[in-house]
Amino acid sequence: MSRLTDPGEQVSLKEAFAELGTPRGRQDPYPLYEAIRNHGAAAWLKPGRLVVTGYEECDRALRDTRLHVQDAAGYDATSPGWRDHSSLRAFTNSMLYSNPPDHTRLRAVAGFAFTPPKIRRLRSVVEEMADRLLDRMARLGADGSPVDLIAEYASRLPVAVISAMLGFPEEDQVWFRDMASTVAVSTDGFGDPAALERADRAMDDMTAYFTDLVDRRRRDPRDDLVTLLTRTHDDDPRRLGHDELMGTLMVLLTAGFETTSFLIGHGAMLAMERSSLAGRLRTEPDFAPAYVEEILRFEPPVHVTSRWAAADTELLGTSVPAGSRLTLILAAANRDPRRFADPARFDPDRPDNRPLSFGAGGHFCLGAPLARLEAALALPRLFARFPGLTATKPPVYRDRWVVRGLDTLPVAIAA
């Protein structure tokens, strides 16, 4: 155990935070979060940079309208040359990296597809797709060969669902998954220039694909999101510009599958490590929603988000001057002992479980109901179909921090 991960060893805030930027730190960041928390629920890393680990502090910050997400103007102020990267431009042309009034307008354009009635109507679609993928897993593992649960189930299901909503052809879904995963690395910023270059190339390929698909939907409209978003752009480009159309498609695809893939992968891993919970997923129909909520708290897909102070504000006794950057570590907030009893224990029966994994306030994740539905259907069906499911190797996490999830999880399908 290193001094950075020894709970009895006090290390500096800068040391602990810097370690999060290393491959070792990203593989298991939770001890580092606790080392950071030792310096306070909101602590200054340096002048103008506040790191927040407290639940209430993160919740307040997410809801404070004086705290903005980093948009194009923010990148202009802090990261000269960012416009040379098409992957970064795509995200800033979306609701993800925009502030009111643009954020309000763009969210309204896509929001109609994620209303509760429309999400409920997707239940049978998710169930059918999950069963098809489980059939495929059964064939792949019939001879005793290990099957990668992430590649064959946890990532294929969400990309199939969002592709069906958007109107992407089934034969292109695996390509979309791989391209979107490559592009999503750009959300980690400029830390890995080579990865950012790959993200740019993938974004260019996807933009070309989207442009062609939009043109086809103009000639041959369908009952899908691409058709509706294209019609919105064509009817009133002020409501949805061309670059915003491309950015919206990118964000809906990326956010619509990657975080849900990680949610399902984490849920499967945790249940295989705790056989009694796998049994409850198989036998208790009402158990899945609480189980999913505890996955979101204990092992969330999104670990960190940022805010910028557009004006002087105050965060539970901490004065935050205008221009300050706040790093909100949501995964640490979800394990704040002031909010959750015994926070390092995975307990789906914990009361009043309201993690911040989907954010809060105006930027609360639009697709949260869909992600919850997919995981709550996917996990019980997985363990009902394969009651003897076991991991054949330890899970491997992707070398990322902002959005963190399993890269591989080989499993054996026991009879």
Side-chain angles (χ1 to χ4, degrees):
M1 178 181 292
S2 76
R3 62 186 297 270
L4 284 169
T5 57
D6 184 347
E9 182 79 25
Q10 180 79 0
V11 298
S12 76
L13 175 59
K14 287 185 178 180
E15 282 182 294
F17 192 82
E19 183 73 4
L20 290 170
T22 68
R24 183 179 65 175
R26 289 190 291 267
Q27 283 297 304
D28 184 14
Y30 290 102
L32 298 171
Y33 296 159
E34 295 311 309
I36 293 170
R37 195 194 310 280
N38 287 338
H39 296 273
W44 291 101
L45 182 66
K46 60 182 179 180
R49 183 74 179 274
L50 187 67
V51 181
V52 186
T53 55
Y55 179 94
E56 189 175 359
E57 289 79 6
C58 281
D59 188 48
R60 291 281 187 93
L62 292 167
R63 298 175 190 276
D64 192 329
T65 57
R66 293 164 296 186
L67 298 177
H68 292 181
V69 300
Q70 184 166 18
D71 56 13
Y75 272 115
D76 285 338
T78 62
S79 306
W82 76 272
R83 292 180 184 272
D84 295 336
H85 298 284
S86 56
S87 56
L88 294 175
R89 293 199 308 272
F91 282 114
T92 57
N93 285 319
S94 74
M95 72 185 86
L96 190 64
Y97 290 159
S98 62
N99 293 293
D102 289 337
H103 175 263
T104 307
R105 170 176 55 83
L106 293 172
R107 189 178 178 95
V109 166
F112 70 91
F114 296 91
T115 61
K118 291 190 176 181
I119 297 300
R120 285 194 293 271
R121 285 198 290 272
L122 286 171
R123 183 182 184 93
S124 61
V125 174
V126 176
E127 290 174 336
E128 179 184 352
M129 290 180 173
D131 289 341
R132 287 170 55 190
L133 292 172
L134 292 171
D135 288 343
R136 173 184 166 86
M137 284 185 64
R139 292 193 298 270
L140 292 172
D143 62 354
S145 299
V147 179
D148 186 355
L149 189 141
I150 304 302
E152 298 300 336
Y153 190 62
S155 67
R156 281 181 181 262
L157 178 59
V159 79
V161 173
I162 196 63
S163 293
M165 293 176 67
L166 287 163
F168 296 155
E170 184 174 353
E171 61 269 20
D172 295 336
Q173 288 176 7
V174 172
W175 180 82
F176 272 125
R177 179 193 67 189
D178 295 342
M179 289 296 100
S181 292
T182 302
V183 167
V185 173
S186 64
T187 61
D188 274 8
F190 293 85
D192 186 343
L196 188 55
E197 184 178 337
R198 291 192 294 271
D200 291 339
R201 289 197 299 268
M203 187 65 241
D204 294 342
D205 289 344
M206 294 190 73
T207 299
Y209 186 101
F210 291 157
T211 300
D212 178 68
L213 184 59
V214 164
D215 288 341
R216 281 187 278 142
R217 288 296 184 267
R218 287 191 176 106
R219 298 190 300 269
D220 180 21
R222 305 280 180 87
D223 183 18
D224 59 37
L225 265 174
V226 172
T227 299
L228 292 172
L229 291 171
T230 300
R231 187 174 297 145
T232 299
H233 163 65
D234 292 347
D235 289 347
D236 186 359
R238 293 171 301 178
R239 189 178 177 204
L240 184 66
H242 174 75
D243 289 344
E244 292 171 336
L245 171 59
M246 296 294 111
T248 297
L249 290 173
M250 181 67 247
V251 165
L252 289 176
L253 176 62
T254 305
F257 100 86
E258 190 174 50
T259 53
T260 307
S261 169
F262 293 163
L263 177 61
I264 294 170
H266 290 157
M269 174 187 70
L270 290 163
M272 284 189 288
E273 293 171 347
R274 300 160 176 80
S275 60
S276 63
L277 297 181
R280 292 182 67 182
L281 285 169
R282 285 194 298 271
T283 59
E284 297 181 26
D286 297 329
F287 177 60
Y291 184 80
V292 170
E293 214 61 22
E294 181 67 348
I295 304 167
L296 288 166
R297 186 199 70 82
F298 186 80
E299 192 68 271
V302 177
H303 272 227
V304 64
T305 190
S306 297
R307 291 293 186 269
W308 295 80
D312 291 346
T313 187
E314 185 267 343
L315 194 63
L316 295 177
T318 300
S319 296
V320 182
S324 301
R325 179 182 178 183
L326 290 79
T327 298
L328 310 178
I329 305 181
L330 305 180
N334 286 344
R335 296 194 183 193
D336 185 345
R338 300 175 305 167
R339 174 62 179 80
F340 299 101
D342 197 4
R345 180 168 60 92
F346 185 76
D347 179 14
D349 296 315
R350 84 173 49 247
D352 192 29
N353 194 7
R354 290 179 290 168
L356 294 175
S357 308
F358 288 122
H363 275 267
F364 182 80
C365 177
L366 194 62
L370 179 58
R372 285 184 167 112
L373 175 70
E374 290 183 52
L377 294 175
L379 291 166
R381 296 179 99 78
L382 172 68
F383 286 99
R385 181 68 180 273
F386 306 123
L389 195 72
T390 55
T392 60
K393 292 181 180 179
V396 175
Y397 280 88
R398 295 188 183 180
D399 187 23
R400 291 168 61 187
W401 178 39
V402 173
V403 180
R404 181 174 182 267
L406 297 176
D407 192 38
T408 61
L409 180 56
V411 297
I413 299 169

